[in-house]
Amino acid sequence: MIQIFDDFVTEEEAEKIREGAIEAGFKDQVAGPDNAPYDGIGEDFESDWLHERLALKMVEGLDSVPTIKPAISCFRRDKAGMTTHNVAHADTICATHAAILYLSDPRHEQGGTGFFRHMETGFIEHPEHDSDLSKHIQKQWTDEEKWAMHAWVFGSWRRLIVYPTTYYHGRFPREGHGQTDEDSRLIWITFFNLT
């Protein structure tokens, strides 16, 4: 299930987070459990209280507050010309869940996150990691003809989305926007396990 929390942070909090991320800067690096090259990765300096707030949001409808154990947490900036490696992918090697907080300047908001169906199998979730079927589908992550979008979430200012990492997803449109840190796409992303 894709969960959407609008106004996850206040205007003041969002501005502070955004300014801090831009001030800290972004760099290209090999990161994550896949050891792949990623562009525009920023230092994570806000995760403790953001994860606490995320846990409180996740408790809605539950009997107790879940414990969120973050596996990866960072900021990501994508300028025009920066495209994603894949049309669609799953992040099952990272954790059980992912959350994205959209922090692009509202004057320059563009795009969001697409959720995809694998045309050959009809799957919207990745099968067991390292199975033959899993490996077969992974080889098709870059092939646009193998995927159809079935849901899309606009990346509006201060919106947070949470979804299982088994879901096939990707930035849409695939290319970032803007020429500077101030007018480009900016998100905070975290991968976490619920316990």
Side-chain angles (χ1 to χ4, degrees), residues 138-173:
Q138 271 185 260
K139 291 177 184 174
Q140 299 177 352
W141 284 0
T142 59
D143 188 344
E144 291 191 27
E145 294 184 4
K146 302 294 184 183
W147 301 94
M149 190 184 306
H150 68 85
W152 183 71
V153 179
F154 180 65
S156 62
W157 172 241
R158 302 186 296 127
R159 171 176 283 171
L160 181 111
I161 64 169
V162 178
Y163 54 91
T165 56
T166 53
Y167 282 19
Y168 294 119
H169 65 283
R171 182 172 76 215
F172 192 85

PDB file of all heavy atoms in Angstrom, residues 138-173:
ATOM      1  N   GLN A 138      14.922  -8.277 -13.120  1.00  0.00           N
ATOM      2  CA  GLN A 138      15.934  -7.245 -12.903  1.00  0.00           C
ATOM      3  C   GLN A 138      16.638  -6.866 -14.200  1.00  0.00           C
ATOM      4  O   GLN A 138      16.976  -5.706 -14.412  1.00  0.00           O
ATOM      5  CB  GLN A 138      16.965  -7.722 -11.885  1.00  0.00           C
ATOM      6  CG  GLN A 138      16.590  -7.380 -10.461  1.00  0.00           C
ATOM      7  CD  GLN A 138      17.688  -7.760  -9.508  1.00  0.00           C
ATOM      8  OE1 GLN A 138      17.598  -8.786  -8.874  1.00  0.00           O
ATOM      9  NE2 GLN A 138      18.708  -6.942  -9.406  1.00  0.00           N
ATOM     10  N   LYS A 139      16.847  -7.819 -15.064  1.00  0.00           N
ATOM     11  CA  LYS A 139      17.510  -7.538 -16.345  1.00  0.00           C
ATOM     12  C   LYS A 139      16.667  -6.621 -17.223  1.00  0.00           C
ATOM     13  O   LYS A 139      17.175  -6.036 -18.175  1.00  0.00           O
ATOM     14  CB  LYS A 139      17.798  -8.845 -17.087  1.00  0.00           C
ATOM     15  CG  LYS A 139      18.868  -9.689 -16.425  1.00  0.00           C
ATOM     16  CD  LYS A 139      19.045 -11.009 -17.162  1.00  0.00           C
ATOM     17  CE  LYS A 139      20.052 -11.896 -16.436  1.00  0.00           C
ATOM     18  NZ  LYS A 139      20.141 -13.242 -17.036  1.00  0.00           N
ATOM     19  N   GLN A 140      15.382  -6.475 -16.904  1.00  0.00           N
ATOM     20  CA  GLN A 140      14.477  -5.664 -17.722  1.00  0.00           C
ATOM     21  C   GLN A 140      14.181  -4.294 -17.093  1.00  0.00           C
ATOM     22  O   GLN A 140      13.385  -3.536 -17.641  1.00  0.00           O
ATOM     23  CB  GLN A 140      13.173  -6.442 -17.943  1.00  0.00           C
ATOM     24  CG  GLN A 140      13.400  -7.742 -18.680  1.00  0.00           C
ATOM     25  CD  GLN A 140      12.137  -8.558 -18.835  1.00  0.00           C
ATOM     26  OE1 GLN A 140      11.090  -8.249 -18.266  1.00  0.00           O
ATOM     27  NE2 GLN A 140      12.228  -9.629 -19.609  1.00  0.00           N
ATOM     28  N   TRP A 141      14.824  -3.966 -16.003  1.00  0.00           N
ATOM     29  CA  TRP A 141      14.539  -2.702 -15.326  1.00  0.00           C
ATOM     30  C   TRP A 141      14.794  -1.485 -16.208  1.00  0.00           C
ATOM     31  O   TRP A 141      14.186  -0.446 -16.012  1.00  0.00           O
ATOM     32  CB  TRP A 141      15.369  -2.591 -14.041  1.00  0.00           C
ATOM     33  CG  TRP A 141      14.828  -3.436 -12.917  1.00  0.00           C
ATOM     34  CD1 TRP A 141      13.731  -4.243 -12.943  1.00  0.00           C
ATOM     35  CD2 TRP A 141      15.366  -3.566 -11.602  1.00  0.00           C
ATOM     36  NE1 TRP A 141      13.554  -4.862 -11.737  1.00  0.00           N
ATOM     37  CE2 TRP A 141      14.548  -4.458 -10.888  1.00  0.00           C
ATOM     38  CE3 TRP A 141      16.470  -3.012 -10.966  1.00  0.00           C
ATOM     39  CZ2 TRP A 141      14.788  -4.806  -9.562  1.00  0.00           C
ATOM     40  CZ3 TRP A 141      16.712  -3.362  -9.640  1.00  0.00           C
ATOM     41  CH2 TRP A 141      15.875  -4.245  -8.947  1.00  0.00           C
ATOM     42  N   THR A 142      15.683  -1.594 -17.192  1.00  0.00           N
ATOM     43  CA  THR A 142      16.019  -0.443 -18.041  1.00  0.00           C
ATOM     44  C   THR A 142      15.209  -0.396 -19.340  1.00  0.00           C
ATOM     45  O   THR A 142      15.342   0.544 -20.111  1.00  0.00           O
ATOM     46  CB  THR A 142      17.518  -0.471 -18.412  1.00  0.00           C
ATOM     47  OG1 THR A 142      17.803  -1.701 -19.096  1.00  0.00           O
ATOM     48  CG2 THR A 142      18.392  -0.362 -17.168  1.00  0.00           C
ATOM     49  N   ASP A 143      14.365  -1.380 -19.580  1.00  0.00           N
ATOM     50  CA  ASP A 143      13.633  -1.499 -20.853  1.00  0.00           C
ATOM     51  C   ASP A 143      12.222  -0.909 -20.714  1.00  0.00           C
ATOM     52  O   ASP A 143      11.343  -1.514 -20.103  1.00  0.00           O
ATOM     53  CB  ASP A 143      13.561  -2.965 -21.268  1.00  0.00           C
ATOM     54  CG  ASP A 143      12.988  -3.173 -22.651  1.00  0.00           C
ATOM     55  OD1 ASP A 143      12.353  -2.234 -23.198  1.00  0.00           O
ATOM     56  OD2 ASP A 143      13.148  -4.285 -23.191  1.00  0.00           O
ATOM     57  N   GLU A 144      11.999   0.260 -21.308  1.00  0.00           N
ATOM     58  CA  GLU A 144      10.705   0.939 -21.169  1.00  0.00           C
ATOM     59  C   GLU A 144       9.540   0.109 -21.679  1.00  0.00           C
ATOM     60  O   GLU A 144       8.423   0.238 -21.177  1.00  0.00           O
ATOM     61  CB  GLU A 144      10.737   2.290 -21.902  1.00  0.00           C
ATOM     62  CG  GLU A 144      11.642   3.292 -21.219  1.00  0.00           C
ATOM     63  CD  GLU A 144      11.469   4.694 -21.782  1.00  0.00           C
ATOM     64  OE1 GLU A 144      10.386   5.004 -22.293  1.00  0.00           O
ATOM     65  OE2 GLU A 144      12.436   5.456 -21.681  1.00  0.00           O
ATOM     66  N   GLU A 145       9.774  -0.733 -22.659  1.00  0.00           N
ATOM     67  CA  GLU A 145       8.687  -1.531 -23.243  1.00  0.00           C
ATOM     68  C   GLU A 145       8.198  -2.622 -22.307  1.00  0.00           C
ATOM     69  O   GLU A 145       7.142  -3.205 -22.538  1.00  0.00           O
ATOM     70  CB  GLU A 145       9.145  -2.138 -24.568  1.00  0.00           C
ATOM     71  CG  GLU A 145       9.411  -1.089 -25.630  1.00  0.00           C
ATOM     72  CD  GLU A 145       9.783  -1.699 -26.968  1.00  0.00           C
ATOM     73  OE1 GLU A 145       9.756  -2.943 -27.091  1.00  0.00           O
ATOM     74  OE2 GLU A 145      10.103  -0.922 -27.878  1.00  0.00           O
ATOM     75  N   LYS A 146       8.928  -2.896 -21.252  1.00  0.00           N
ATOM     76  CA  LYS A 146       8.560  -3.969 -20.322  1.00  0.00           C
ATOM     77  C   LYS A 146       7.698  -3.478 -19.163  1.00  0.00           C
ATOM     78  O   LYS A 146       7.255  -4.278 -18.335  1.00  0.00           O
ATOM     79  CB  LYS A 146       9.821  -4.633 -19.747  1.00  0.00           C
ATOM     80  CG  LYS A 146      10.758  -5.215 -20.789  1.00  0.00           C
ATOM     81  CD  LYS A 146      10.135  -6.380 -21.525  1.00  0.00           C
ATOM     82  CE  LYS A 146      11.134  -6.997 -22.488  1.00  0.00           C
ATOM     83  NZ  LYS A 146      10.536  -8.084 -23.275  1.00  0.00           N
ATOM     84  N   TRP A 147       7.427  -2.144 -19.115  1.00  0.00           N
ATOM     85  CA  TRP A 147       6.775  -1.584 -17.946  1.00  0.00           C
ATOM     86  C   TRP A 147       5.606  -0.676 -18.314  1.00  0.00           C
ATOM     87  O   TRP A 147       5.649   0.024 -19.316  1.00  0.00           O
ATOM     88  CB  TRP A 147       7.784  -0.775 -17.119  1.00  0.00           C
ATOM     89  CG  TRP A 147       8.932  -1.618 -16.686  1.00  0.00           C
ATOM     90  CD1 TRP A 147      10.137  -1.760 -17.327  1.00  0.00           C
ATOM     91  CD2 TRP A 147       8.973  -2.499 -15.567  1.00  0.00           C
ATOM     92  NE1 TRP A 147      10.928  -2.663 -16.650  1.00  0.00           N
ATOM     93  CE2 TRP A 147      10.237  -3.125 -15.571  1.00  0.00           C
ATOM     94  CE3 TRP A 147       8.066  -2.807 -14.561  1.00  0.00           C
ATOM     95  CZ2 TRP A 147      10.608  -4.054 -14.591  1.00  0.00           C
ATOM     96  CZ3 TRP A 147       8.433  -3.728 -13.594  1.00  0.00           C
ATOM     97  CH2 TRP A 147       9.694  -4.338 -13.614  1.00  0.00           C
ATOM     98  N   ALA A 148       4.574  -0.687 -17.466  1.00  0.00           N
ATOM     99  CA  ALA A 148       3.440   0.226 -17.606  1.00  0.00           C
ATOM    100  C   ALA A 148       3.173   0.854 -16.242  1.00  0.00           C
ATOM    101  O   ALA A 148       3.117   0.148 -15.224  1.00  0.00           O
ATOM    102  CB  ALA A 148       2.202  -0.512 -18.084  1.00  0.00           C
ATOM    103  N   MET A 149       3.025   2.166 -16.212  1.00  0.00           N
ATOM    104  CA  MET A 149       2.755   2.835 -14.945  1.00  0.00           C
ATOM    105  C   MET A 149       1.299   2.590 -14.538  1.00  0.00           C
ATOM    106  O   MET A 149       0.399   2.757 -15.345  1.00  0.00           O
ATOM    107  CB  MET A 149       3.017   4.335 -15.069  1.00  0.00           C
ATOM    108  CG  MET A 149       2.988   5.045 -13.729  1.00  0.00           C
ATOM    109  SD  MET A 149       3.175   6.841 -13.853  1.00  0.00           S
ATOM    110  CE  MET A 149       4.674   6.974 -14.775  1.00  0.00           C
ATOM    111  N   HIS A 150       1.080   2.192 -13.309  1.00  0.00           N
ATOM    112  CA  HIS A 150      -0.287   1.979 -12.819  1.00  0.00           C
ATOM    113  C   HIS A 150      -0.684   2.992 -11.748  1.00  0.00           C
ATOM    114  O   HIS A 150      -1.865   3.121 -11.417  1.00  0.00           O
ATOM    115  CB  HIS A 150      -0.481   0.546 -12.305  1.00  0.00           C
ATOM    116  CG  HIS A 150       0.274   0.231 -11.057  1.00  0.00           C
ATOM    117  ND1 HIS A 150      -0.190   0.515  -9.797  1.00  0.00           N
ATOM    118  CD2 HIS A 150       1.486  -0.351 -10.878  1.00  0.00           C
ATOM    119  CE1 HIS A 150       0.683   0.117  -8.892  1.00  0.00           C
ATOM    120  NE2 HIS A 150       1.717  -0.404  -9.522  1.00  0.00           N
ATOM    121  N   ALA A 151       0.302   3.721 -11.187  1.00  0.00           N
ATOM    122  CA  ALA A 151       0.005   4.761 -10.185  1.00  0.00           C
ATOM    123  C   ALA A 151       1.118   5.799 -10.249  1.00  0.00           C
ATOM    124  O   ALA A 151       2.249   5.493 -10.624  1.00  0.00           O
ATOM    125  CB  ALA A 151      -0.081   4.157  -8.781  1.00  0.00           C
ATOM    126  N   TRP A 152       0.758   7.022  -9.881  1.00  0.00           N
ATOM    127  CA  TRP A 152       1.737   8.104  -9.879  1.00  0.00           C
ATOM    128  C   TRP A 152       1.409   9.043  -8.740  1.00  0.00           C
ATOM    129  O   TRP A 152       0.246   9.358  -8.503  1.00  0.00           O
ATOM    130  CB  TRP A 152       1.692   8.855 -11.211  1.00  0.00           C
ATOM    131  CG  TRP A 152       2.707   9.946 -11.347  1.00  0.00           C
ATOM    132  CD1 TRP A 152       4.054   9.797 -11.491  1.00  0.00           C
ATOM    133  CD2 TRP A 152       2.467  11.353 -11.372  1.00  0.00           C
ATOM    134  NE1 TRP A 152       4.671  11.024 -11.606  1.00  0.00           N
ATOM    135  CE2 TRP A 152       3.718  11.999 -11.535  1.00  0.00           C
ATOM    136  CE3 TRP A 152       1.315  12.141 -11.276  1.00  0.00           C
ATOM    137  CZ2 TRP A 152       3.846  13.381 -11.595  1.00  0.00           C
ATOM    138  CZ3 TRP A 152       1.446  13.514 -11.340  1.00  0.00           C
ATOM    139  CH2 TRP A 152       2.699  14.125 -11.505  1.00  0.00           C
ATOM    140  N   VAL A 153       2.446   9.458  -8.005  1.00  0.00           N
ATOM    141  CA  VAL A 153       2.277  10.406  -6.909  1.00  0.00           C
ATOM    142  C   VAL A 153       3.056  11.668  -7.253  1.00  0.00           C
ATOM    143  O   VAL A 153       4.272  11.611  -7.482  1.00  0.00           O
ATOM    144  CB  VAL A 153       2.784   9.832  -5.573  1.00  0.00           C
ATOM    145  CG1 VAL A 153       2.624  10.866  -4.452  1.00  0.00           C
ATOM    146  CG2 VAL A 153       2.046   8.549  -5.210  1.00  0.00           C
ATOM    147  N   PHE A 154       2.361  12.797  -7.311  1.00  0.00           N
ATOM    148  CA  PHE A 154       3.019  14.066  -7.586  1.00  0.00           C
ATOM    149  C   PHE A 154       3.870  14.468  -6.388  1.00  0.00           C
ATOM    150  O   PHE A 154       3.431  14.352  -5.238  1.00  0.00           O
ATOM    151  CB  PHE A 154       1.977  15.151  -7.880  1.00  0.00           C
ATOM    152  CG  PHE A 154       2.582  16.497  -8.178  1.00  0.00           C
ATOM    153  CD1 PHE A 154       3.368  16.683  -9.303  1.00  0.00           C
ATOM    154  CD2 PHE A 154       2.380  17.567  -7.326  1.00  0.00           C
ATOM    155  CE1 PHE A 154       3.942  17.913  -9.574  1.00  0.00           C
ATOM    156  CE2 PHE A 154       2.942  18.809  -7.585  1.00  0.00           C
ATOM    157  CZ  PHE A 154       3.727  18.974  -8.711  1.00  0.00           C
ATOM    158  N   GLY A 155       5.060  14.934  -6.664  1.00  0.00           N
ATOM    159  CA  GLY A 155       5.993  15.296  -5.604  1.00  0.00           C
ATOM    160  C   GLY A 155       5.777  16.698  -5.078  1.00  0.00           C
ATOM    161  O   GLY A 155       6.643  17.558  -5.220  1.00  0.00           O
ATOM    162  N   SER A 156       4.649  16.931  -4.448  1.00  0.00           N
ATOM    163  CA  SER A 156       4.345  18.281  -3.974  1.00  0.00           C
ATOM    164  C   SER A 156       5.087  18.591  -2.675  1.00  0.00           C
ATOM    165  O   SER A 156       5.397  17.705  -1.875  1.00  0.00           O
ATOM    166  CB  SER A 156       2.834  18.475  -3.806  1.00  0.00           C
ATOM    167  OG  SER A 156       2.315  17.604  -2.850  1.00  0.00           O
ATOM    168  N   TRP A 157       5.357  19.855  -2.497  1.00  0.00           N
ATOM    169  CA  TRP A 157       6.107  20.414  -1.370  1.00  0.00           C
ATOM    170  C   TRP A 157       5.610  19.874  -0.033  1.00  0.00           C
ATOM    171  O   TRP A 157       4.412  19.938   0.257  1.00  0.00           O
ATOM    172  CB  TRP A 157       5.963  21.932  -1.455  1.00  0.00           C
ATOM    173  CG  TRP A 157       6.455  22.794  -0.353  1.00  0.00           C
ATOM    174  CD1 TRP A 157       5.685  23.629   0.407  1.00  0.00           C
ATOM    175  CD2 TRP A 157       7.805  22.990   0.087  1.00  0.00           C
ATOM    176  NE1 TRP A 157       6.480  24.320   1.292  1.00  0.00           N
ATOM    177  CE2 TRP A 157       7.785  23.961   1.124  1.00  0.00           C
ATOM    178  CE3 TRP A 157       9.030  22.444  -0.283  1.00  0.00           C
ATOM    179  CZ2 TRP A 157       8.925  24.382   1.775  1.00  0.00           C
ATOM    180  CZ3 TRP A 157      10.180  22.870   0.375  1.00  0.00           C
ATOM    181  CH2 TRP A 157      10.118  23.821   1.378  1.00  0.00           C
ATOM    182  N   ARG A 158       6.497  19.253   0.724  1.00  0.00           N
ATOM    183  CA  ARG A 158       6.248  18.760   2.087  1.00  0.00           C
ATOM    184  C   ARG A 158       5.429  17.473   2.122  1.00  0.00           C
ATOM    185  O   ARG A 158       5.019  17.031   3.182  1.00  0.00           O
ATOM    186  CB  ARG A 158       5.601  19.830   2.973  1.00  0.00           C
ATOM    187  CG  ARG A 158       6.437  21.088   3.082  1.00  0.00           C
ATOM    188  CD  ARG A 158       5.867  22.104   4.069  1.00  0.00           C
ATOM    189  NE  ARG A 158       4.568  22.609   3.667  1.00  0.00           N
ATOM    190  CZ  ARG A 158       3.488  22.600   4.442  1.00  0.00           C
ATOM    191  NH1 ARG A 158       3.531  22.113   5.657  1.00  0.00           N
ATOM    192  NH2 ARG A 158       2.350  23.100   3.996  1.00  0.00           N
ATOM    193  N   ARG A 159       5.188  16.861   0.969  1.00  0.00           N
ATOM    194  CA  ARG A 159       4.467  15.576   0.938  1.00  0.00           C
ATOM    195  C   ARG A 159       5.451  14.451   1.211  1.00  0.00           C
ATOM    196  O   ARG A 159       6.559  14.426   0.690  1.00  0.00           O
ATOM    197  CB  ARG A 159       3.815  15.380  -0.427  1.00  0.00           C
ATOM    198  CG  ARG A 159       3.233  13.980  -0.630  1.00  0.00           C
ATOM    199  CD  ARG A 159       2.523  13.858  -1.950  1.00  0.00           C
ATOM    200  NE  ARG A 159       1.213  14.514  -1.829  1.00  0.00           N
ATOM    201  CZ  ARG A 159       0.406  14.736  -2.859  1.00  0.00           C
ATOM    202  NH1 ARG A 159       0.768  14.413  -4.091  1.00  0.00           N
ATOM    203  NH2 ARG A 159      -0.767  15.319  -2.656  1.00  0.00           N
ATOM    204  N   LEU A 160       5.021  13.490   2.022  1.00  0.00           N
ATOM    205  CA  LEU A 160       5.804  12.285   2.283  1.00  0.00           C
ATOM    206  C   LEU A 160       5.012  11.083   1.805  1.00  0.00           C
ATOM    207  O   LEU A 160       3.808  10.996   2.056  1.00  0.00           O
ATOM    208  CB  LEU A 160       6.099  12.140   3.774  1.00  0.00           C
ATOM    209  CG  LEU A 160       6.930  10.900   4.115  1.00  0.00           C
ATOM    210  CD1 LEU A 160       8.327  11.288   4.573  1.00  0.00           C
ATOM    211  CD2 LEU A 160       6.259  10.051   5.191  1.00  0.00           C
ATOM    212  N   ILE A 161       5.691  10.178   1.100  1.00  0.00           N
ATOM    213  CA  ILE A 161       5.044   8.919   0.735  1.00  0.00           C
ATOM    214  C   ILE A 161       5.832   7.768   1.349  1.00  0.00           C
ATOM    215  O   ILE A 161       7.044   7.857   1.524  1.00  0.00           O
ATOM    216  CB  ILE A 161       4.906   8.719  -0.794  1.00  0.00           C
ATOM    217  CG1 ILE A 161       6.269   8.629  -1.487  1.00  0.00           C
ATOM    218  CG2 ILE A 161       4.058   9.822  -1.396  1.00  0.00           C
ATOM    219  CD1 ILE A 161       6.172   8.174  -2.947  1.00  0.00           C
ATOM    220  N   VAL A 162       5.111   6.713   1.699  1.00  0.00           N
ATOM    221  CA  VAL A 162       5.706   5.500   2.265  1.00  0.00           C
ATOM    222  C   VAL A 162       5.180   4.324   1.462  1.00  0.00           C
ATOM    223  O   VAL A 162       3.977   4.259   1.157  1.00  0.00           O
ATOM    224  CB  VAL A 162       5.337   5.328   3.757  1.00  0.00           C
ATOM    225  CG1 VAL A 162       5.935   4.043   4.309  1.00  0.00           C
ATOM    226  CG2 VAL A 162       5.786   6.525   4.574  1.00  0.00           C
ATOM    227  N   TYR A 163       6.063   3.402   1.118  1.00  0.00           N
ATOM    228  CA  TYR A 163       5.638   2.234   0.343  1.00  0.00           C
ATOM    229  C   TYR A 163       6.593   1.070   0.616  1.00  0.00           C
ATOM    230  O   TYR A 163       7.750   1.284   1.005  1.00  0.00           O
ATOM    231  CB  TYR A 163       5.601   2.552  -1.155  1.00  0.00           C
ATOM    232  CG  TYR A 163       6.892   3.111  -1.699  1.00  0.00           C
ATOM    233  CD1 TYR A 163       7.871   2.273  -2.223  1.00  0.00           C
ATOM    234  CD2 TYR A 163       7.151   4.476  -1.661  1.00  0.00           C
ATOM    235  CE1 TYR A 163       9.063   2.777  -2.702  1.00  0.00           C
ATOM    236  CE2 TYR A 163       8.339   4.992  -2.137  1.00  0.00           C
ATOM    237  CZ  TYR A 163       9.300   4.136  -2.656  1.00  0.00           C
ATOM    238  OH  TYR A 163      10.480   4.642  -3.115  1.00  0.00           O
ATOM    239  N   PRO A 164       6.120  -0.164   0.410  1.00  0.00           N
ATOM    240  CA  PRO A 164       7.003  -1.319   0.565  1.00  0.00           C
ATOM    241  C   PRO A 164       8.075  -1.303  -0.525  1.00  0.00           C
ATOM    242  O   PRO A 164       7.803  -0.948  -1.672  1.00  0.00           O
ATOM    243  CB  PRO A 164       6.068  -2.519   0.390  1.00  0.00           C
ATOM    244  CG  PRO A 164       4.695  -1.991   0.606  1.00  0.00           C
ATOM    245  CD  PRO A 164       4.726  -0.566   0.142  1.00  0.00           C
ATOM    246  N   THR A 165       9.278  -1.712  -0.177  1.00  0.00           N
ATOM    247  CA  THR A 165      10.367  -1.709  -1.153  1.00  0.00           C
ATOM    248  C   THR A 165      10.196  -2.782  -2.222  1.00  0.00           C
ATOM    249  O   THR A 165      10.935  -2.793  -3.200  1.00  0.00           O
ATOM    250  CB  THR A 165      11.733  -1.891  -0.466  1.00  0.00           C
ATOM    251  OG1 THR A 165      11.708  -3.087   0.311  1.00  0.00           O
ATOM    252  CG2 THR A 165      12.054  -0.692   0.414  1.00  0.00           C
ATOM    253  N   THR A 166       9.229  -3.661  -2.043  1.00  0.00           N
ATOM    254  CA  THR A 166       8.942  -4.656  -3.089  1.00  0.00           C
ATOM    255  C   THR A 166       8.242  -4.026  -4.288  1.00  0.00           C
ATOM    256  O   THR A 166       8.235  -4.605  -5.374  1.00  0.00           O
ATOM    257  CB  THR A 166       8.044  -5.780  -2.540  1.00  0.00           C
ATOM    258  OG1 THR A 166       6.881  -5.189  -1.946  1.00  0.00           O
ATOM    259  CG2 THR A 166       8.784  -6.632  -1.517  1.00  0.00           C
ATOM    260  N   TYR A 167       7.643  -2.848  -4.127  1.00  0.00           N
ATOM    261  CA  TYR A 167       6.908  -2.198  -5.213  1.00  0.00           C
ATOM    262  C   TYR A 167       7.868  -1.700  -6.296  1.00  0.00           C
ATOM    263  O   TYR A 167       8.878  -1.061  -5.988  1.00  0.00           O
ATOM    264  CB  TYR A 167       6.118  -0.997  -4.690  1.00  0.00           C
ATOM    265  CG  TYR A 167       4.832  -1.315  -3.979  1.00  0.00           C
ATOM    266  CD1 TYR A 167       4.563  -2.581  -3.470  1.00  0.00           C
ATOM    267  CD2 TYR A 167       3.870  -0.338  -3.794  1.00  0.00           C
ATOM    268  CE1 TYR A 167       3.385  -2.852  -2.808  1.00  0.00           C
ATOM    269  CE2 TYR A 167       2.678  -0.604  -3.129  1.00  0.00           C
ATOM    270  CZ  TYR A 167       2.446  -1.863  -2.644  1.00  0.00           C
ATOM    271  OH  TYR A 167       1.275  -2.128  -1.985  1.00  0.00           O
ATOM    272  N   TYR A 168       7.510  -1.969  -7.549  1.00  0.00           N
ATOM    273  CA  TYR A 168       8.284  -1.414  -8.660  1.00  0.00           C
ATOM    274  C   TYR A 168       7.957   0.071  -8.779  1.00  0.00           C
ATOM    275  O   TYR A 168       6.790   0.462  -8.843  1.00  0.00           O
ATOM    276  CB  TYR A 168       7.936  -2.120  -9.968  1.00  0.00           C
ATOM    277  CG  TYR A 168       8.345  -3.566 -10.005  1.00  0.00           C
ATOM    278  CD1 TYR A 168       7.403  -4.570 -10.164  1.00  0.00           C
ATOM    279  CD2 TYR A 168       9.679  -3.926  -9.881  1.00  0.00           C
ATOM    280  CE1 TYR A 168       7.783  -5.899 -10.206  1.00  0.00           C
ATOM    281  CE2 TYR A 168      10.066  -5.267  -9.908  1.00  0.00           C
ATOM    282  CZ  TYR A 168       9.114  -6.244 -10.078  1.00  0.00           C
ATOM    283  OH  TYR A 168       9.481  -7.556 -10.104  1.00  0.00           O
ATOM    284  N   HIS A 169       8.989   0.886  -8.823  1.00  0.00           N
ATOM    285  CA  HIS A 169       8.788   2.331  -8.824  1.00  0.00           C
ATOM    286  C   HIS A 169       9.958   3.012  -9.522  1.00  0.00           C
ATOM    287  O   HIS A 169      10.973   2.380  -9.832  1.00  0.00           O
ATOM    288  CB  HIS A 169       8.671   2.851  -7.383  1.00  0.00           C
ATOM    289  CG  HIS A 169       9.947   2.670  -6.617  1.00  0.00           C
ATOM    290  ND1 HIS A 169      10.340   1.456  -6.104  1.00  0.00           N
ATOM    291  CD2 HIS A 169      10.946   3.533  -6.320  1.00  0.00           C
ATOM    292  CE1 HIS A 169      11.505   1.578  -5.522  1.00  0.00           C
ATOM    293  NE2 HIS A 169      11.912   2.846  -5.637  1.00  0.00           N
ATOM    294  N   GLY A 170       9.821   4.292  -9.745  1.00  0.00           N
ATOM    295  CA  GLY A 170      10.909   5.074 -10.313  1.00  0.00           C
ATOM    296  C   GLY A 170      10.524   6.541 -10.377  1.00  0.00           C
ATOM    297  O   GLY A 170       9.337   6.889 -10.387  1.00  0.00           O
ATOM    298  N   ARG A 171      11.524   7.397 -10.414  1.00  0.00           N
ATOM    299  CA  ARG A 171      11.281   8.831 -10.581  1.00  0.00           C
ATOM    300  C   ARG A 171      10.594   9.033 -11.931  1.00  0.00           C
ATOM    301  O   ARG A 171      10.966   8.416 -12.928  1.00  0.00           O
ATOM    302  CB  ARG A 171      12.616   9.572 -10.553  1.00  0.00           C
ATOM    303  CG  ARG A 171      12.480  11.061 -10.667  1.00  0.00           C
ATOM    304  CD  ARG A 171      13.817  11.735 -10.442  1.00  0.00           C
ATOM    305  NE  ARG A 171      14.696  11.625 -11.588  1.00  0.00           N
ATOM    306  CZ  ARG A 171      16.014  11.487 -11.506  1.00  0.00           C
ATOM    307  NH1 ARG A 171      16.603  11.403 -10.338  1.00  0.00           N
ATOM    308  NH2 ARG A 171      16.750  11.415 -12.582  1.00  0.00           N
ATOM    309  N   PHE A 172       9.563   9.868 -11.949  1.00  0.00           N
ATOM    310  CA  PHE A 172       8.869  10.142 -13.204  1.00  0.00           C
ATOM    311  C   PHE A 172       8.445  11.598 -13.250  1.00  0.00           C
ATOM    312  O   PHE A 172       7.761  12.052 -12.342  1.00  0.00           O
ATOM    313  CB  PHE A 172       7.640   9.230 -13.376  1.00  0.00           C
ATOM    314  CG  PHE A 172       7.106   9.287 -14.762  1.00  0.00           C
ATOM    315  CD1 PHE A 172       7.645   8.486 -15.756  1.00  0.00           C
ATOM    316  CD2 PHE A 172       6.098  10.178 -15.099  1.00  0.00           C
ATOM    317  CE1 PHE A 172       7.165   8.565 -17.057  1.00  0.00           C
ATOM    318  CE2 PHE A 172       5.620  10.257 -16.383  1.00  0.00           C
ATOM    319  CZ  PHE A 172       6.149   9.449 -17.366  1.00  0.00           C
ATOM    320  N   PRO A 173       8.868  12.344 -14.282  1.00  0.00           N
ATOM    321  CA  PRO A 173       9.699  11.844 -15.377  1.00  0.00           C
ATOM    322  C   PRO A 173      11.092  11.462 -14.894  1.00  0.00           C
ATOM    323  O   PRO A 173      11.531  11.887 -13.821  1.00  0.00           O
ATOM    324  CB  PRO A 173       9.745  13.022 -16.355  1.00  0.00           C
ATOM    325  CG  PRO A 173       9.405  14.223 -15.546  1.00  0.00           C
ATOM    326  CD  PRO A 173       8.540  13.765 -14.415  1.00  0.00           C
TER     327      PRO A 173
END
